[in-house]
Amino acid sequence: MRNLDHVESQTYDLIIIGGGVNGAAVARDAALRGLKPILLEKSDFASGTSSWSTRLVHGGLRYLEYFEFPLVRESLHERELLLRNAPHLVNPLMLTVPVYGKRSRPYWKIWAGMILYDIFSFDKTLLPHRMLPKQKFVQHFRGLDPENLNGGAQYYDAQASRAERMCLETILDAESAGATSLNYVEVTALHRQGDRITHLTCRDQLTGKTLEIKGSAKAMVINTSGPWVDRVLNDGAPDAIGKTRKIGGTKGSHIIVNRFPGAPDSALYVEAKTDGRPFFIVPWLGMVLIGTTDLPYEGSLDRVKADDEEIDYLLTETNNIIPSGQLTRESIKFTYSGVRPLPYVDKKSAGSITRKHILLDHRSDGVSNLISLIGGKLTTFRHVGQEIVDLVYKKWKQPAPACPTIHRPFPGAILPNDPLVGELVDRYRDRLSVETLYHLLDSYGRLAAGVLALIDEHPELAAPITPELPDIRAQIVYGVRSEYAYHMADILRRRTTIAMQSCYGLQTLAVLSEVLQRYCGWSAEDCDRQAGEYRQYMEENCIPDYAIPQSRRSQAEAVSA
């Protein structure tokens, strides 16, 4: 149980607002350099943009077209570091780019882009690209649309199938180095004396308690709240920090379907037949992840959902590329949508807005100890943390200690040939299937030993949560005891991927309630309330509108309003 009285009694060098991957990276980097940071997140860790991406760790091939060469180089370098430092969470992924006449970039332009991509990733351990002329491409990809096909290219990037756990392990490493991290604590006010923010008023969402977070004499406040940056700055209020809008986020929606006829084993990076917009068709945990859209967004940041039109667009364009897919609305297993925290730009197409992050020093707004992060990608989060902490030392006019995160493995870092893998499989294969054991090792890495230790104490926790998936009940208890899970959505959507893989997780609520009451001290009333909140969360964010009865949809919209 977290001790909020102790938190209030302390002062902090860095107060970080926003517990996505970027905020987590700042906390980790700062703590490992000997500073005292606190990380505050109004919902669950990684519950915003970090949780709604395409789950790719990539250099941004498309950024070459906008001449964002430094961003491509930075991203490719960070991709290499993640492959090395988090091998259980980040895996190589081959992508195939079909090239079509009249609707794609020309073959020569794709080839030139591939060469540049290899040059910018000169220190990579992945294989270089290869070009496939039409005859060879058709032989390897017989199910793709053949109309005006000119050939294609293949290259490697990487995939973070469980991006939320990458954020969580970053936080766990930060805490091991002395950081404090609190989810479900919302910042409600920034208090200033002169040109400095001295303390923050917060509300604990779990208890309703109001608390004060105090900065040390040199404290810096870091706003890594993503799409909520302007809200943290109290945009529109008389005492707002700055008078201009900072974030002009765009909405990106995804769908998840089962594997379908014609779906290739490699990921596809394709251009839509109707409007030429690029999107991905990606193998993901035995299913297929398709996305994303890229639309200007002005709606609620706390309820972002894939519209029926977006779902139909992704289905149609996938069928255009893979005619044998024959995907329909009935094919949908899960949808999700998020807002990219891009810089606000008047009258500019969504796709051409820079993906380069900006560190905004608010000194020009009259606040000397506040930095806001505008933008930021899943791939580059570690480097963002390094940059922000370096800037903090620069503002303090102190030399920055060497960055420790470049070569530091994540807490669960492990390779499949590590001796611990064989030891855990041998020790537990009498109680768990080999499939389940490797699933746990893929999800938790070497931290899987902590999950497995629970079934030594309570053998019944080796039972599955739901028959069609390898997740076990010990993961529920581990999520609550060791990973700051306070809601059913934390467990089903972010500590595990059950919600995304199996009926939105709705069929598991009875098992969750049983385990949470027996091993985690939750009451029956708590579980009933949480189950209702979980269903509402899924309907408001993930279950397509067309699949929700109109009466219930109207009721949910009224509650949300």
Side-chain angles (χ1 to χ4, degrees):
M1 188 69 179
R2 53 193 185 179
N3 187 340
L4 297 182
D5 291 335
H6 176 74
V7 169
E8 284 194 282
S9 71
Q10 304 295 304
T11 59
Y12 300 92
D13 298 323
L14 264 66
I15 303 174
I16 305 157
I17 307 170
V21 289
N22 290 302
V26 177
R28 179 185 186 224
D29 192 292
L32 288 167
R33 294 204 222 186
L35 301 178
K36 187 176 181 181
I38 183 169
L39 176 66
L40 306 169
E41 165 56 48
K42 74 181 185 69
S43 298
D44 187 23
F45 300 127
S47 60
T49 304
S50 301
S51 186
W52 306 119
S53 74
T54 315
R55 301 168 182 270
L56 297 179
V57 174
H58 66 111
L61 182 63
R62 188 160 60 101
Y63 307 153
L64 292 173
E65 195 166 16
Y66 298 103
F67 304 105
E68 296 201 84
F69 299 148
L71 175 58
V72 174
R73 171 57 196 155
E74 174 194 4
S75 301
L76 289 168
H77 178 63
E78 292 302 309
R79 180 194 70 184
E80 189 66 24
L81 294 181
L82 283 169
L83 284 165
R84 183 177 69 206
N85 294 332
H88 60 308
L89 294 174
V90 181
N91 295 286
L93 178 72
M94 186 171 73
L95 291 100
T96 299
V97 184
V99 180
Y100 290 95
K102 299 181 180 179
R103 75 178 196 237
S104 298
R105 280 73 174 165
Y107 189 88
W108 68 265
K109 195 171 186 178
I110 298 294
W111 194 356
M114 291 288 118
I115 293 171
L116 274 176
Y117 210 58
D118 279 347
I119 290 173
F120 283 123
S121 59
F122 59 86
D123 54 353
K124 67 177 179 292
T125 52
L126 298 176
L127 293 171
H129 83 278
R130 68 171 181 171
M131 300 299 297
L132 296 175
K134 179 179 178 179
Q135 188 175 13
K136 292 184 178 180
F137 190 92
V138 170
Q139 185 68 273
H140 285 279
F141 297 94
R142 300 179 181 184
L144 266 60
D145 176 24
E147 183 181 354
N148 295 317
L149 182 65
N150 291 333
Q154 290 185 317
Y155 68 101
Y156 276 90
D157 263 324
Q159 182 180 49
S161 297
R162 302 173 179 88
E164 299 84 0
R165 297 205 59 83
M166 195 157 64
C167 177
L168 182 63
E169 285 203 24
T170 303
I171 289 168
L172 294 175
D173 204 29
E175 290 218 330
S176 73
T180 299
S181 55
L182 297 173
N183 53 349
Y184 295 104
V185 170
E186 181 175 14
V187 174
T188 57
L190 308 177
H191 300 282
R192 285 182 270 175
Q193 288 185 1
D195 68 345
R196 292 186 58 80
I197 296 171
T198 56
H199 63 287
L200 283 64
T201 299
C202 303
R203 181 180 183 274
D204 178 26
Q205 307 278 51
L206 302 177
T207 64
K209 173 183 170 63
T210 297
L211 61 153
E212 303 287 324
I213 304 296
K214 297 183 286 291
S216 63
K218 64 178 183 179
M220 293 291 301
V221 179
I222 311 298
N223 181 7
T224 54
S225 57
W228 290 268
V229 160
D230 288 315
R231 187 182 298 181
V232 169
L233 299 176
N234 210 10
D235 181 36
D239 60 346
I241 298 173
K243 303 301 180 186
T244 60
R245 180 176 173 182
K246 310 298 188 297
I247 296 292
T250 66
K251 179 187 180 188
S253 295
H254 298 78
I255 60 175
I256 296 174
V257 299
N258 284 330
R259 285 192 60 83
F260 53 88
D265 294 328
S266 67
L268 291 177
Y269 183 23
V270 299
E271 291 176 322
K273 194 169 185 177
T274 57
D275 60 10
R277 195 196 179 283
F279 70 101
F280 294 94
I281 303 171
V282 185
W284 178 79
L285 299 182
M287 304 174 79
V288 180
L289 174 64
I290 302 169
T292 176
T293 58
D294 197 358
L295 303 172
Y297 185 73
E298 299 291 341
S300 168
L301 295 174
D302 298 312
R303 183 182 180 275
V304 187
K305 187 174 186 177
D307 299 332
D308 289 351
E309 294 78 11
E310 291 179 279
I311 293 170
D312 290 339
Y313 169 84
L314 292 171
L315 290 170
T316 297
E317 296 305 332
T318 301
N319 287 334
N320 284 339
I321 295 294
I322 309 174
S324 59
Q326 295 294 303
L327 298 176
T328 67
R329 286 181 170 184
E330 286 66 41
S331 306
I332 300 294
K333 298 301 178 185
F334 195 86
T335 80
Y336 64 89
S337 189
V339 178
R340 303 174 184 86
L342 303 178
Y344 177 72
V345 180
D346 280 325
K347 297 179 181 178
K348 195 170 186 180
S349 70
S352 63
I353 300 173
T354 181
R355 265 50 175 180
K356 173 66 178 174
H357 63 267
I358 299 166
L359 303 186
L360 180 61
D361 187 335
H362 289 279
R363 182 178 293 276
S364 61
D365 296 323
V367 183
S368 63
N369 67 329
L370 173 64
I371 299 167
S372 290
L373 171 67
I374 313 299
K377 298 164 68 255
L378 178 67
T379 304
T380 57
F381 73 94
R382 187 215 62 84
H383 191 240
V384 166
Q386 177 184 346
E387 280 189 81
I388 289 178
V389 176
D390 283 345
L391 180 55
V392 166
Y393 277 103
K394 183 178 180 180
K395 288 179 68 67
W396 288 341
K397 298 182 180 179
Q398 295 178 12
C403 175
T405 61
I406 296 174
H407 303 294
R408 183 179 176 89
F410 278 55
I414 195 170
L415 287 167
N417 58 3
D418 190 291
L420 179 62
V421 172
E423 292 171 15
L424 291 175
V425 171
D426 288 343
R427 190 184 312 163
Y428 290 98
R429 68 187 308 161
D430 60 329
R431 287 163 282 178
L432 294 169
S433 69
V434 172
E435 177 194 11
T436 293
L437 288 165
Y438 277 103
H439 165 72
L440 295 174
L441 286 159
D442 284 343
S443 301
Y444 299 86
R446 62 179 59 252
L447 298 179
V451 180
L452 292 167
L454 289 170
I455 69 173
D456 290 332
E457 184 181 357
H458 303 287
E460 63 276 12
L461 289 177
I465 296 174
T466 185
E468 68 274 14
L469 294 176
D471 299 273
I472 60 173
R473 300 182 185 197
Q475 292 173 256
I476 301 171
V477 180
Y478 188 78
V480 172
R481 292 184 183 178
S482 303
E483 297 184 332
Y484 314 108
Y486 294 101
H487 292 277
M488 288 183 175
D490 302 344
I491 297 166
L492 294 174
R493 176 61 189 83
R494 290 175 288 274
R495 304 307 181 274
T496 72
T497 53
I498 291 172
M500 303 172 76
Q501 292 181 278
S502 180
C503 302
Y504 300 92
L506 295 172
Q507 84 286 9
T508 69
L509 297 180
V511 170
L512 253 68
S513 295
E514 176 190 340
V515 173
L516 291 167
Q517 289 178 58
R518 183 173 178 184
Y519 300 97
C520 301
W522 292 27
S523 68
E525 292 76 15
D526 287 338
C527 290
D528 288 344
R529 173 180 51 82
Q530 287 246 8
E533 291 175 354
Y534 179 81
R535 291 187 184 93
Q536 181 179 338
Y537 176 84
M538 283 292 127
E539 290 189 358
E540 290 182 349
N541 294 277
C542 303
I543 301 174
D545 283 341
Y546 63 76
I548 301 173
Q550 180 61 44
S551 59
R552 210 158 68 239
R553 192 189 321 164
S554 300
Q555 183 181 15
E557 289 170 352
V559 171
S560 180

